[in-house]
Amino acid sequence: MNPIKVGLLGIGTVGSGTYNVLKRNQEEIRRRAGRGIEIAVVADLNTELARELTGGEVEVVADANEVVNRPDIDIVVELIGGYGVARELVLKAIRNGKHVVTANKALLAVYGNEIFEAAREKGVIVAFEAAVAGGIPIIKALREGLTANRIQWIAGIINGTTNFILSEMRDKGLDFDTVLKEAQRLGYAEADPTFDIEGVDAAHKVTLMSSIAFGMPVQFDKAHVEGITRLSAVDIKYAEELGYRIKLLGLTRRREDGIELRVHPTLVPASRLIANVEGAMNAVLVQGDAVGATLYYGKGAGAEPTASAVIADLVDVTRLHTADPEHRVPHLAFQPDELSSVPVLPIDEVTSSYYLRMRVSDETGVLADITRILADAGISIDAMLQKESREGEPQTDIIMLSHLCREKQVNAAITKIEALPTVLSAVTRLRMEELN
Ligand code: HSE
């Protein structure tokens, strides 16, 4: 059988990784897919570099429209990124009856509903394993491997840049700005790291996982997104003293009244496997009612790890493109007419435990006032740490860990605590998840 023909849009890091792995493993991949997979054309504005990377073996064009309009191309691999031109090209490819493989989490988290609907109308596949956690086959696991389960929650370290920064802050006791500069110097953080450090990239990824886990349309606009830019080294240190590590988690959880969808720095017990995922690695923990907890770990970025996911999708499409669309795995794991309208809960309604740190005057009754406010708000204290005050400085840090409560309860209590004359600082509030 003739090879299936692929048009590659963008030959940067992931594109060149895809080209190289496909070439290196072509025989193994052909034996798995049932036919060869051939990159027939590459579109990249830098045609010279594209020719160099492909050794002159593949046709190179500057205009990606040429690729999505070519009748001989069966699958378009979109590796341009962003929501602008990538969205137009993906929709055009779909309208032209082509299957699409993409690593573009931003595009799917924001425009996924439109794109999946367009693909359904045309009977084509949009595959996106590489969009979440790079080389870890988490989309496959959620859509297929765990399909028997009522999924209860997912917690993921799904941004390598921030995990690297947090690991360095903890190991070296350095503050965020210092470590960010070092990460940029070493190439772990981009020159403009905004999407990573502000939690946006992780929110794109958890939005996609949430939709697949719970069978609901993608709703990035409802996700609560907090990054790590305001995290201080002292909280990492105090968390450690209390037996916790701070990780930027993408979390989504089924509650009785809706779905939680959130990204924020989170205290996780140091004894959990996921708390020990260090450096730029990714990990996703999924709790299903039948299987219990399953953990997926690996490289979340990089040329060949991400290519591994792109090529897995290419093989899937090669095997399935002649199948009746009704018999394929639905884009969001649930049949499109079975998607649920369950609401995404506002952050005020989220249930969590909390870490509270405050600076107080070291005098009689301070603790009693604070614990009274918490008790009146129905918040139960789980643990407490009081640092010794320094000689001649009658002030101290108090750190409290709460049991589960609603976020609005804790926010109301914090407002009252901050109004106490003996509380000398704003209260630092971090969320804490036991993940058991
Ligand atoms: N920038 C991402 C990360 C990889 O740091 O994990 C691509 O999503």
Side-chain angles (χ1 to χ4, degrees), residues 153 155 157 243-245 247 249 253 267-278 283 285 287 293 295 432-436:
W153 52 262
I157 295 173
Y244 291 81
R245 301 244 167 108
K247 295 289 180 190
L249 289 190
R253 181 180 271 122
L267 276 79
V268 179
S271 56
R272 300 274 177 271
L273 277 175
I274 197 167
N276 293 280
V277 171
E278 299 290 4
L285 184 55
Q287 178 77 24
L295 179 65
M432 202 171 87
E433 296 288 334
E434 290 299 321
L435 303 181
N436 54 10

Side-chain angles (χ1 to χ4, degrees), residues 2 7 42 55 123 127 150 159 169 178-179 195 208 214 241 267 284 356 362 389 391 396-397 409 420 435:
N2 288 336
V42 172
R150 188 170 158 82
N159 184 269
M169 286 174 74
T178 310
V179 176
F195 265 31
L208 291 171
F214 304 123
E241 287 179 32
L267 276 79
V284 183
L356 306 174
D362 196 1
S389 25
E391 185 103 15
T396 186
D397 280 343
Q409 279 173 277
L420 292 171
L435 303 181

Side-chain angles (χ1 to χ4, degrees), residues 6-19 39 41-47 49-51 53-54 59-65 67-68 76-81 85-86 89 101 103 310:
V6 176
L8 191 60
L9 310 185
I11 189 154
T13 307
V14 179
S16 55
T18 301
Y19 181 81
I39 295 184
V41 58
V42 172
D44 201 291
L45 290 175
N46 191 342
T47 49
L49 180 66
R51 276 194 199 98
L53 290 171
T54 54
E59 184 184 343
V60 171
V61 297
D63 182 4
N65 284 291
V67 176
V68 299
V76 168
V77 177
E78 183 274 305
L79 299 174
I80 295 171
V85 68
L89 288 164
V101 171
V310 169

Side-chain angles (χ1 to χ4, degrees), residues 56 60 82 151 221 256 301 341 409 422:
V60 171
I151 292 174
D221 56 332
E256 253 172 41
S341 56
Q409 279 173 277
T422 45

Side-chain angles (χ1 to χ4, degrees), residues 15 41 56 74 86 121 141 150 158 177 183 223 249 256 299 324 378 380 409 416:
V41 58
D74 304 296
E121 277 171 18
R150 188 170 158 82
I158 43 182
D177 291 323
L249 289 190
E256 253 172 41
K299 288 186 181 158
D324 179 342
S380 170
Q409 279 173 277
K416 290 185 184 159

Side-chain angles (χ1 to χ4, degrees), residues 105 131 158-162 188 190 196 201 205 282 300-301:
K105 62 234 75 176
I158 43 182
N159 184 269
T161 306
T162 45
Y188 283 105
E190 300 197 24
D196 292 321
D201 175 74
K205 293 167 182 166
N282 279 201

Side-chain angles (χ1 to χ4, degrees), residues 32 36-37 51-52 76 105 126 130 140 142 146 177 182 186 197 231 257 278 284 306 322 349 358 360 381 411:
R32 289 191 170 115
I37 298 175
R51 276 194 199 98
E52 196 181 303
V76 168
K105 62 234 75 176
V126 175
K140 190 83 162 179
L142 288 170
L146 298 175
D177 291 323
E182 180 67 358
L186 295 172
I197 62 179
L231 194 64
D257 45 354
E278 299 290 4
V284 183
T306 313
T322 51
E349 298 299 336
M358 61 213 87
V360 300
I381 297 164
N411 285 347

